[in-house]
Structure formats: structure tokens, C-alpha cells
Amino acid sequence: MAADSLTEAPDPRFPIGDFVAPESISDEDRRYAIHTLAEMPELLREAVRHLDEEQINTPYREGGWAVRQVVHHVADSHSTAVFRLRKALTEDWPVVPGYDEKLFAELADVKVAPVEWSLELIESVHARWVMLLQTLDEAQWKRGFKHEERGPMTVEHATLLYAWHSRHHVAHINHLRAQKGW
């Protein structure tokens, strides 16, 4: 995918571009998203492998989060996403709350906790997430939730969004590493 290229990232905030959902989501789109979610924990782990404390505490861009905050954000965000998915599969279009990810990223634990803690959480969350997604039938893919801030979202749309989110944050770290020669 050309948008994933580190050399073509005009905006360090969105190194793979903005998320754009297809007009209609195909089985192939779903399979690709599931594959992305399955491989993401190892790609994230690889992105932070061998970084020292100074590097882990380096923002991926000016004004952006440190690598440590990015990793903890992914754990928070993806744990929340799985909760929303489970609500969508067990309730009729439940309302799900948003959260202030910027404030979450400023909490004390996010600034000091080892990235390993969130990497382990991400591995477990993604394993269960992928397992569940692989069992969905057509009707389940069309179920959804009403996000307090973003409005209605189907399971399939949310799955594609979080596959993008996975690539997006791994690219932040890899782009920083490439810039710094790490």
C-alpha cells in the first residue's frame, strides 16, 4: 500500500493518510482488516524493539505523543473497541461512550509504565478480538453501536477503522525511527 510508505508521508500526524471507509465493505475488506488486527501486536512490538528509555520518551512528531504514550494509547483504544464490539453483538445498537484520549495519554501511568505492559495487553486483546471476528456471520457484521460522538457505526466499519488505527500508530513509530536513524 503506497500510503504506508515512510517516504510519502506528507503529514507526520497521518503517515498512512486518513481513514476512508469503502462505500460498501466486502468479505475481502473484512479479511484484510482481521489479518491486520492479527499481525498488529507483533508489528508494534517490532516497532519499539531495542528502543532505550530516551527513545521511548521521544515524541513521534513535534507536539505529538511520546512513543510510550502511543503504545499505551493503543492498549486503551483497542480494549475499548473490543468492549464496544461485544456490546454491539449482545445488545440492540447500544450507546457507547467516547473518552478523551488526550487526557488518558496524560495520566501518570501512561507517562511511566513500561511499554511491555501494554504490549502484553494488546497481544491478549487482539487474540480474542481476532478469534471473535473470525466467527461472525453476515448479520453480526451488520450489527453496531451508537457512538456518543461519532454516531452509528457497524461492526464491520469499526473493524476496518481499527485496522487502519493499528497501521496508523505503528507507522508513527516507524516513521520516527526512520527520521532519527534508529
Side-chain angles (χ1 to χ4, degrees), residues 27-81:
D27 287 341
E28 183 178 335
D29 293 328
R30 292 175 190 159
R31 282 191 299 276
Y32 177 72
I34 292 169
H35 172 76
T36 299
L37 293 171
E39 71 177 3
M40 188 277 188
E42 183 54 35
L43 293 175
L44 184 60
R45 184 175 288 284
E46 189 58 35
V48 300
R49 193 175 317 279
H50 304 302
L51 294 181
D52 62 31
E53 282 298 301
E54 182 178 339
Q55 293 166 328
I56 289 285
N57 290 318
T58 301
Y60 71 90
R61 66 173 174 85
E62 188 168 326
W65 290 335
V67 171
R68 179 186 312 276
Q69 290 171 291
V70 171
V71 174
H72 293 316
H73 161 72
V74 170
D76 290 340
S77 176
H78 291 199
S79 297
T80 302

Side-chain angles (χ1 to χ4, degrees), residues 12-30:
R13 294 174 303 160
F14 297 97
I16 64 168
D18 290 325
F19 173 69
V20 179
E23 287 289 321
S24 128
I25 298 173
S26 68
D27 287 341
E28 183 178 335
D29 293 328
R30 292 175 190 159

Side-chain angles (χ1 to χ4, degrees), residues 23 26 39 46 61 71 86 91 95 122 128 143 160 175 180 182:
E23 287 289 321
S26 68
E39 71 177 3
E46 189 58 35
R61 66 173 174 85
V71 174
R86 297 176 74 78
E91 299 176 25
V95 175
I122 291 163
R128 286 192 59 196
R143 294 182 66 90
L160 269 62
H175 183 71
K180 299 282 189 180
W182 297 341

Side-chain angles (χ1 to χ4, degrees), residues 93-106:
W93 287 88
V95 175
V96 299
Y99 68 97
D100 190 328
E101 62 186 32
K102 291 176 183 159
L103 289 178
F104 270 44
E106 294 299 322

Side-chain angles (χ1 to χ4, degrees), residues 1 5 9 13-15 20-22 36 63 66 83 88 95-96 105 113 119 144-146 154 157 164 174-175:
M1 190 181 270
S5 171
R13 294 174 303 160
F14 297 97
V20 179
T36 299
F83 171 77
V95 175
V96 299
L119 291 171
F145 53 83
K146 296 175 198 141
T154 62
H157 179 91
W164 170 86
N174 287 334
H175 183 71

